[in-house]
Amino acid sequence: MKFSLKAVALGALLASAAVAAPVDVEKRDANSDRIADCFIGLLLSGSWSSSCKAAVAVNLGLIKTISINQMSMDFTPANPWAPTTSSNDIVSTMLSIPGVTLPIDSIRQHIILTDNGVQLGSIETPWAAASVKGGTLKTSFPSSTLSVFPTSHKAFSNFIGSLSAAKTKTVTLQGAVDVKLNLGIFGHLTIPGIGFKVNTPFQGLNGLTEIKYLYLIDNNYDFANNKMTMTTIVNIKNPSNLSLKLGDVNFSTSSAGEYVGISTIKNLNLVPGDNYVISGTVLEIGRDAAFKFLNSLETADGTLVMSGFNATSSDEALNAGLGALKSNLVVPKQFQGSTVSQPPYKNWSLKVLPTTKTDGLVDITATFASPYYGYPFEMTSDEPADKDNYAFVKGVSNDVDQLRLFEFRNTLHFKVSGTGSTTVTFKANIIGFVQRDRTRVEQLVKYAAANGGIPVDFWWVAGGIVNNDGLQRSELDWGTSGTGLGGVKIATGADFASILDSVPA
C-alpha cells in the first residue's frame, strides 16, 4: 500500500509539473522519497508543509514531453517587446500510473522561454482548467503577455527569424506551475511553485514558401508617378500550428533578380493552413525590370520574388525576424486562370414593364455575393465613368448572338458580407436592344418563350469597395470572362413578348 501511495504521489507531481515556468529549476532534488512522502501526506491528510514547497520548487526531471498543439501570438500591441500569446491545446506526457487519474483540475503557469541558452522572456498566465487521464495532462491558457527581457531583444528577434525560416524550432520551457487539486473530503488545495524544465518543439513557418496566386482584383495605374498597383488575392499556406497576428507586412519584390517594387499585406493574420489574403504590389513601371515583367505576362507566366527586408514591419521586434521570409509568387499569363471563391451573381431575371415602351427601362433581379474569398464587398457603381457595361446574347443563333439584351445605367448598389448574399432589383436600359431590327428580336422572343430565358455573357467593369477599406476601385472585372464563370441565363416570362411593342415594325 505504501508503494502505491508513493506512485500516486509521484504521478501527481508529474502532472503538476507538466506545463509551466519561472523559479530556479537548474538543480534537481535527488531525494525522491522525501518528495513522495510529501504527496503521501497530502493525500492522507490534506496538508502541505513549507519543507514540501521547497522540495518541489526544482526541476524534477520527470516530464517526458510537452506538446503545444496550438499557439496564438499577437504582435500588434503598442509595445513591440510585449506581444500576447495563448494556447487552447497543450498536452503533457508523463510517466503513466495504470488505473490512476490524478485530481488536478486547474493550473497557473509561470513560464520562461529560453532559446540557445538565452532566456528571452516570461509569461504569467491566469488560472486555466486542466484534466488528467492516465499519464496525460491537458490544459490551455488564455491571452497572456510575453514580456521580453530588456537584455534579450536581439535574441528574441533572432528567435522570430528562426521560427520564420525553419520547419521546426526547439526551445526550452522552464519555471513553475501552481496547481489546484480536488482532494475530495479535504476540499481543494493549491500547491504553488512546482518546478520543471523541458525542451519543446514548435512548428515553424518554413519561410512561408507556399504563396499561390488566386485572383486579380484590379490594376490601378498612377501614370504621374510611373507606378501601377496590382491588387491580388493570394493563398499563403501556413505549415505550422501557430496563429500569428502580424499587422501590416511589406515585402521587397523582384523579378529576374531585379527590384520592381513593394508588396504589402495589411493586417496579416495567419492561421494554420490556407490564408486567403489581399496583396497590393506597387510596381515601379519606370524601372526596366518592372516594365519587362508586365510585358512578359502577355506571352508567359511571370514570377515575383517577395522577400523580407529592413522595412518589412513597423514592429521593431518582428522586423529583423521576418527578414528570413522569402516566397515566389507565379502570376499567370495575361492573368488567366483567376478563380473567384464563389459566383458573384446568380438567379437573374428580366421583367418588361408597362412603361418600357416609353422610357426603355426594364427591371432586372439577381442575387449577388462577394467573389473575394470571404472579404465583404460593396457595389458602388455598376457602370463607372467612361465604362460601357452590358449583357449580350450568346448561344441562341448566329443572327441573334451579340445583341445587347440590356445596358447597365448605374442603378445597382448593394453591400454584402464575405459569406452572405443579397437579392436586388434594379433598372436597366433596353433601348440599345429594341432599336435592332424586328426580325432578330422576334427570333429572340421565340427562343425565350421556348426556353424560359435567354443565355448571355456580361461585358462589365464595375466600381466598388473590397474589405471595407474605403478605397474606391473602378476597374473590377465582373464580366463572365473575367470571373471565369462562363455564360448566364436571364429568366424571362410571358411579359417578355411585349418587348415587340417597342420595336418598329
Side-chain angles (χ1 to χ4, degrees), residues 358-375:
T358 56
D359 63 14
L361 300 180
V362 293
D363 273 351
I364 304 293
T365 301
T367 298
F368 297 95
S370 170
Y372 301 119
Y373 288 80
Y375 290 101

Side-chain angles (χ1 to χ4, degrees), residues 98-150:
V100 175
T101 297
L102 303 171
I104 297 172
D105 59 16
S106 59
I107 67 173
R108 179 173 60 189
Q109 307 173 49
H110 316 279
I111 306 168
I112 290 177
L113 180 67
T114 300
D115 182 39
N116 291 326
V118 179
Q119 293 187 350
L120 303 180
S122 63
I123 305 171
E124 299 288 327
T125 78
W127 287 100
S131 63
V132 179
K133 184 175 182 180
T136 301
L137 180 143
K138 294 184 177 182
T139 189
S140 61
F141 65 88
S143 182
S144 306
T145 299
L146 168 55
S147 300
V148 179
F149 299 139

Side-chain angles (χ1 to χ4, degrees), residues 170-230:
T170 298
V171 299
T172 300
L173 302 179
Q174 65 186 80
V177 291
D178 307 328
V179 302
K180 290 183 179 179
L181 295 92
N182 184 353
L183 300 177
I185 61 172
F186 298 116
H188 276 79
L189 179 69
T190 299
I191 301 178
I194 298 176
F196 76 99
K197 182 178 182 182
V198 65
N199 292 330
T200 299
F202 284 83
Q203 293 180 9
L205 300 182
N206 195 29
L208 292 180
T209 56
E210 292 187 61
I211 298 184
K212 182 180 180 182
Y213 170 96
L214 294 177
Y215 188 71
L216 175 69
I217 295 178
D218 70 350
N219 287 325
N220 183 41
Y221 290 89
D222 179 2
F223 293 109
N225 295 297
N226 269 337
K227 293 181 178 180
M228 187 199 83
T229 301
M230 182 177 68

Side-chain angles (χ1 to χ4, degrees), residues 402-420:
Q402 304 303 315
L403 281 177
R404 293 193 183 192
L405 181 60
F406 65 84
E407 299 167 346
F408 293 95
R409 59 188 309 272
N410 204 17
T411 59
L412 172 60
H413 308 282
F414 63 85
K415 290 183 179 181
V416 68
S417 71
T419 56

Side-chain angles (χ1 to χ4, degrees), residues 388-462:
D388 181 20
N389 295 330
Y390 53 88
F392 61 94
V393 179
K394 186 175 182 180
V396 173
S397 68
N398 290 335
D399 289 339
V400 175
D401 283 359
Q402 304 303 315
L403 281 177
R404 293 193 183 192
L405 181 60
F406 65 84
E407 299 167 346
F408 293 95
R409 59 188 309 272
N410 204 17
T411 59
L412 172 60
H413 308 282
F414 63 85
K415 290 183 179 181
V416 68
S417 71
T419 56
S421 63
T422 184
T423 299
V424 182
T425 297
F426 61 98
K427 300 293 184 185
N429 193 338
I430 206 163
I431 288 294
F433 164 70
V434 299
Q435 289 177 342
R436 304 291 181 177
D437 66 89
R438 187 177 182 88
T439 300
R440 299 169 74 191
V441 177
E442 287 175 341
Q443 289 182 44
L444 193 60
V445 168
K446 183 177 180 180
Y447 180 93
N451 295 276
I454 301 167
V456 302
D457 274 2
F458 291 110
W459 180 268
W460 189 4
V461 179

